[in-house]
Amino acid sequence: MTWFLPGLLLCAMAQAVLLGPLSVWGIRPDLFLLLVFLVSQRVSPEAATGLGFLIGLCQDGLSGGPLGLHAFSDSLVGFLAARLSHHMYTDKPLALFWILLGGSAAAGGITLALLAFFLGPRLVLPALFRVIVPEALYTAAVGLLILCLPQIRAALTRPT
Amino acid sequence: MSLLLRLLARYRRAVILTTALVLSFLLMTLQVRHESGVVTFTRQALLFVVSPFIKVTSATIRGVTGTWRDYVDLRALREENKRLQLETTTLKRRLEQLQDQALETQRLERLLAMRQASRAEFLTARVVGKDATNWFKTILLDRGSLEGIRRNQPVLAPDGLVGRVVEVTPSSARVQLLTDPVSAVGGLIQRTRVTGIVSGNLGAGARVRYLPLMADVAVGDEVLTSGMGGVFPKGILIGRITSVERKSGALFQEATLQSAVDLSRLEEVLILTHLDVREGFESGAGSQP
């Protein structure tokens, strides 16, 4: 886990600066959430909760939203992903995509619920179609690409 | 004591998860009612630590993009005659540089014209980062409290209003864009002098809320800051009305607004640092497209 802090810093840089030109209709993939997924596959649920909290806190610090918003969803997602990591283990890209999509959508749903609770009722449908679904799709696609990189590389270097 | 420790060890998963969730919830609760010292300190410390990296990354990307562009140009031209290639590359690069310089000069001239048109004092800053989530619309500037930036100072572009400063560290500042879902700006329809509240939206654009039901509001109307609320001076162009909604049974009508400034392509902004002078915007450059 020596890569955690450099990974977190890289995520912060990418999310704040690099992903701007890659945004589609103003939506960027949530790299912090992908980091939570990656971390939770390698540590215990207790550690995944703590690290998820830290990642979320960092994301909140770099955002205009209230501190604790993503810390809440990321610690919960981290815990669940680590707890269910044995059941979620798969090398099938489509299954992996659906897992990432579900996790990202769940994190979006939790964020929306918290925003509605603290900042007043949000419009559910606009949030669903303009933020949660596109963000989940984009995050799942990028996550799939990152997780399948070793397979892609192996396929490319395999002797014919 | 040992029993408590044994219980904690036995239920450590639930304890850690509950602690993390309660702590997050508590942090959010502290910020809802009023500014909390702990939260402000944590945010500023995080931003203080990360903003130098963001600035360096932003500068590096600008450099790498330039180098990459040069590299691509060179590769494309290699197939052509070498003498012509060299000449073309040099000319092309020079032209690009001049075009970039011309565009930058144009932008800076407009910023300068705006500064001179109003008697207020401005500070120019470069945009170095964006919000880390898709839920909020904020940007990060490369200037902070050391240069005189304070919270709630209005931020403008040559075409109109951008937002306000919400967070400041010694070397950086976070600006809440007017399209942020939690942003609210007092607005005034220039043609009919009807007032409303311009607030952000999840997704692109903004809405003008609380417009009186019988008020004359039409597509294309320009919306300016009303000066109410004490943060934004009166008369800065916010945007133009793109559609008006009058729902039956509603007490107010609402309108969607297209921001006068392209907030997704901001590179430099002006921060209004002197708030004593709050007049002359409506006839000045700030309200002109």
Side-chain angles (χ1 to χ4, degrees):
Chain A
M1 288 298 289
T2 46
W3 51 269
F4 176 72
L5 277 179
L8 184 59
L9 195 64
L10 194 71
C11 264
M13 296 303 100
Q15 201 76 42
V17 186
L18 294 172
L19 291 182
L22 297 179
S23 67
V24 180
W25 297 305
I27 295 291
R28 289 161 295 159
D30 190 347
L31 296 184
F32 287 100
L33 193 68
L34 288 177
L35 186 65
V36 174
F37 273 116
L38 282 175
V39 167
S40 60
Q41 302 304 304
R42 288 161 175 78
V43 296
S44 65
E46 296 90 323
T49 310
L51 293 174
F53 178 79
L54 202 68
I55 293 167
L57 205 63
C58 184
Q59 188 173 14
D60 290 329
L62 294 171
S63 147
L67 207 64
L69 182 68
H70 286 87
F72 189 99
S73 57
D74 286 359
S75 45
L76 196 58
V77 167
F79 174 81
L80 290 174
R83 190 87 175 78
L84 303 171
S85 59
H86 295 301
H87 304 288
M88 291 197 312
Y89 179 77
T90 177
D91 55 354
K92 289 176 183 157
L94 197 63
L96 204 58
F97 179 80
W98 281 111
I99 289 169
L100 289 169
L101 188 72
S104 185
I110 296 166
T111 308
L112 179 65
L114 286 170
L115 279 175
F117 184 80
F118 282 104
L119 302 175
R122 303 277 108 183
L123 296 170
V124 175
L125 277 181
L128 192 68
F129 291 114
R130 287 180 187 166
V131 183
I132 297 175
V133 172
E135 184 184 88
L137 282 168
Y138 206 168
T139 305
V142 172
L144 184 67
L145 197 69
I146 293 170
L147 292 172
C148 290
L149 265 182
Q151 289 175 30
I152 295 168
R153 218 172 70 178
L156 287 174
T157 53
R158 195 177 298 149
T160 49
Chain B
M1 189 68 182
S2 64
L3 180 71
L4 187 70
L5 285 174
R6 255 187 295 160
L7 274 174
L8 278 177
R10 189 173 172 189
Y11 296 108
R12 64 181 188 282
R13 273 185 190 171
V15 169
I16 288 170
L17 180 65
T18 312
T19 309
L21 296 184
V22 168
L23 203 60
S24 309
F25 210 76
L26 209 65
L27 273 171
M28 282 185 279
T29 313
L30 281 171
Q31 296 159 87
V32 172
R33 295 261 175 225
H34 51 84
E35 279 294 314
S36 154
V38 179
V39 171
T40 310
F41 175 77
T42 314
R43 292 190 77 97
Q44 288 192 347
L46 269 168
L47 204 59
F48 183 74
V49 171
V50 178
S51 64
F53 291 103
I54 290 179
K55 278 186 194 176
V56 170
T57 313
S58 184
T60 312
I61 286 167
R62 275 201 298 274
V64 169
T65 312
T67 313
W68 175 250
R69 205 184 298 150
D70 290 349
Y71 172 72
V72 170
D73 285 349
L74 276 171
R75 279 202 67 171
L77 290 166
R78 197 170 289 160
E79 295 159 8
E80 296 179 19
N81 181 286
K82 277 188 178 177
R83 188 178 58 80
L84 283 173
Q85 175 197 12
L86 190 68
E87 198 178 325
T88 314
T89 310
T90 315
L91 286 172
K92 198 174 174 183
R93 205 182 296 169
R94 183 78 191 122
L95 185 66
E96 275 177 3
Q97 276 173 356
L98 286 171
Q99 277 173 342
D100 277 353
Q101 275 173 8
L103 283 173
E104 192 171 352
T105 311
Q106 249 176 28
R107 284 202 309 267
L108 294 174
E109 268 177 358
R110 291 173 74 192
L111 289 177
L112 191 67
M114 191 178 165
R115 283 172 80 146
Q116 286 168 347
S118 65
R119 290 186 296 156
E121 285 174 21
F122 291 100
L123 201 69
T124 317
R126 192 182 280 272
V127 179
V128 289
K130 290 190 173 183
D131 200 288
T133 72
N134 292 314
W135 294 89
F136 300 95
K137 309 278 182 232
T138 62
I139 51 171
L140 194 67
L141 305 182
D142 66 345
R143 293 196 175 203
S145 56
L146 289 176
E147 283 92 357
I149 296 179
R150 301 281 177 269
R151 273 195 72 189
N152 286 330
Q153 284 175 338
V155 180
L156 292 81
D159 294 324
L161 186 71
V162 171
R164 70 184 175 106
V165 177
V166 287
E167 210 172 335
V168 190
T169 70
S171 60
S172 63
R174 184 168 293 284
V175 175
Q176 181 186 62
L177 302 180
L178 63 96
T179 49
D180 186 276
V182 255
S183 157
V185 182
L188 172 80
I189 310 282
Q190 192 180 33
R191 185 174 57 86
T192 55
R193 319 308 287 178
V194 174
T195 57
I197 303 286
V198 179
S199 57
N201 209 354
L202 280 168
R207 290 183 78 78
V208 191
R209 298 176 205 271
Y210 306 111
L211 291 163
L213 202 58
M214 303 308 288
D216 178 13
V217 183
V219 172
D221 275 349
E222 286 193 341
V223 181
L224 312 177
T225 48
S226 68
M228 282 183 247
V231 173
F232 300 98
K234 189 178 178 181
I236 303 171
L237 180 65
I238 302 176
R240 285 169 194 83
I241 301 286
T242 51
S243 69
V244 183
E245 287 172 30
R246 292 182 185 89
K247 286 177 188 162
S248 61
L251 292 173
F252 298 97
Q253 55 178 320
E254 283 190 13
T256 50
L257 178 122
Q258 176 70 50
S259 168
V261 181
D262 186 354
L263 298 169
S264 62
R265 291 170 192 272
L266 282 172
E267 288 182 51
E268 295 102 9
V269 291
L270 286 174
I271 300 148
L272 182 60
T273 52
H274 204 281
L275 285 171
D276 289 341
V277 186
R278 291 188 173 194
E279 54 191 359
F281 269 104
E282 201 160 354
S283 54
S287 62
Q288 298 304 312

